[in-house]
Amino acid sequence: MDEEGWYSVTPEKVAAHIAKRCAGRTVVDAFCGVGGNTIQFALQGSRVIAVDIDPVKIMCAKHNAGVYGVLDKIEFICGDFMTMRDRGVQADVVFLSPPWGGPSYVNEEVYCINSMMSINGDALFRAAAAIAPNVIYYMPRNVNRDQLAALAGPAGVCEIEEVYLNGRLKVLAAYYGDLVVATEGEGANDDDGGGAGGGCHGRNGGGGGGRRKGVGKGAGKVVGANGPDANSDFFMELDYD
């Protein structure tokens, strides 16, 4: 694993939690890095297309996939994700975890997806949506949540999940398409361990009960978003040791 891989790889339990929503589907990991998420997708029975522009990262990801015994479930492509549609790549889900610009992002009060990454965040989402009907955006905890909600469009739904490690908010995961597990007025269930309860709210307000479970211990409220004018917060604690 190279130096960047050490600080950018998704924690294994978080990657496993995200991968469960995609079990059995074809998933494009658009910025696979050293393979942390790619491996967890494969362990959930998904066919994975792992893309990275850095050949060193691809080499590391292949090695790590071999260690986990899932090398045969993954197609590796060394190239620019933004060209994948032109190359005929299609999938059920695209997982977006683009480079955040290095560790200095934590010093920003609000992280803008359109100015603080090397690629425009809106354009990246559109490229993903052209490949698959379902998208996951893995973003820093200080990201502008209204920007993430706006990507769903006026009639769409976005679920934004706060991920906590040992009681501290670490990252956000935004889900689009049928990966959203709770819609307005509905609850959702998972079998991962701890729990979260609350209501789901969209552009027109409203809300509903429901409980869902997270990785290990946790509790939070569930809030959806239907476009840029909606309440865009979705809380889900995933505390574990």
Side-chain angles (χ1 to χ4, degrees):
M1 185 179 296
D2 63 0
E3 181 179 356
E4 183 181 353
W6 279 112
Y7 69 76
S8 63
V9 68
T10 304
E12 187 169 75
K13 287 186 178 181
V14 175
H17 168 74
I18 292 171
K20 287 181 178 180
R21 295 210 194 189
C22 308
R25 307 193 193 196
T26 298
V27 180
V28 173
D29 188 349
F31 302 86
C32 73
V34 297
N37 292 96
T38 291
I39 290 166
Q40 294 302 321
F41 288 130
L43 287 172
Q44 289 296 321
S46 293
R47 172 180 173 260
V48 188
I49 302 170
V51 180
D52 204 285
I53 202 167
D54 183 348
V56 175
K57 296 287 195 309
I58 292 290
M59 180 181 67
C60 291
K62 286 182 177 179
H63 170 80
N64 294 334
V67 170
Y68 278 80
V70 292
L71 191 58
D72 61 329
K73 297 180 180 180
I74 305 167
E75 175 187 354
F76 292 93
I77 299 177
C78 185
D80 183 352
F81 169 71
M82 298 299 283
T83 69
M84 291 301 109
R85 182 186 181 188
D86 292 341
R87 296 173 66 162
V89 172
Q90 292 291 315
D92 301 313
V93 181
V94 173
F95 176 73
L96 298 174
S97 181
W100 298 343
S104 62
Y105 73 86
V106 299
N107 300 320
E108 302 292 337
E109 182 177 354
V110 179
Y111 185 91
C112 175
I113 67 172
N114 293 323
S115 65
M116 294 183 178
M117 297 192 299
S118 59
I119 184 171
N120 179 279
D122 286 355
L124 179 58
F125 182 87
R126 290 194 298 271
I131 290 174
N134 308 296
V135 178
I136 305 172
Y137 228 140
Y138 187 78
M139 284 279 103
R141 62 180 180 267
N142 55 339
V143 70
N144 186 323
R145 301 178 188 213
D146 289 337
Q147 289 182 325
L148 293 180
L151 294 173
V157 175
C158 167
E159 176 189 322
I160 300 176
E161 183 176 66
E162 288 188 340
V163 180
Y164 286 76
L165 298 178
N166 301 319
R168 297 182 59 189
L169 175 60
K170 300 296 289 184
V171 297
L172 300 182
Y175 302 90
Y176 304 85
D178 67 19
L179 296 174
V180 175
V181 296
T183 57
E184 192 169 326
E186 297 178 354
N189 295 287
D190 204 309
D191 59 0
D192 289 333
C200 301
H201 303 274
R203 177 185 294 276
N204 297 319
R211 293 187 60 81
R212 53 178 304 215
K213 297 183 178 181
V215 178
K217 300 176 291 184
K221 69 176 182 177
V222 182
V223 184
N226 292 69
D229 298 330
N231 184 340
S232 63
D233 294 336
F234 178 100
F235 298 95
M236 177 66 177
E237 293 197 12
L238 304 172
D239 289 347
Y240 51 83
D241 297 327

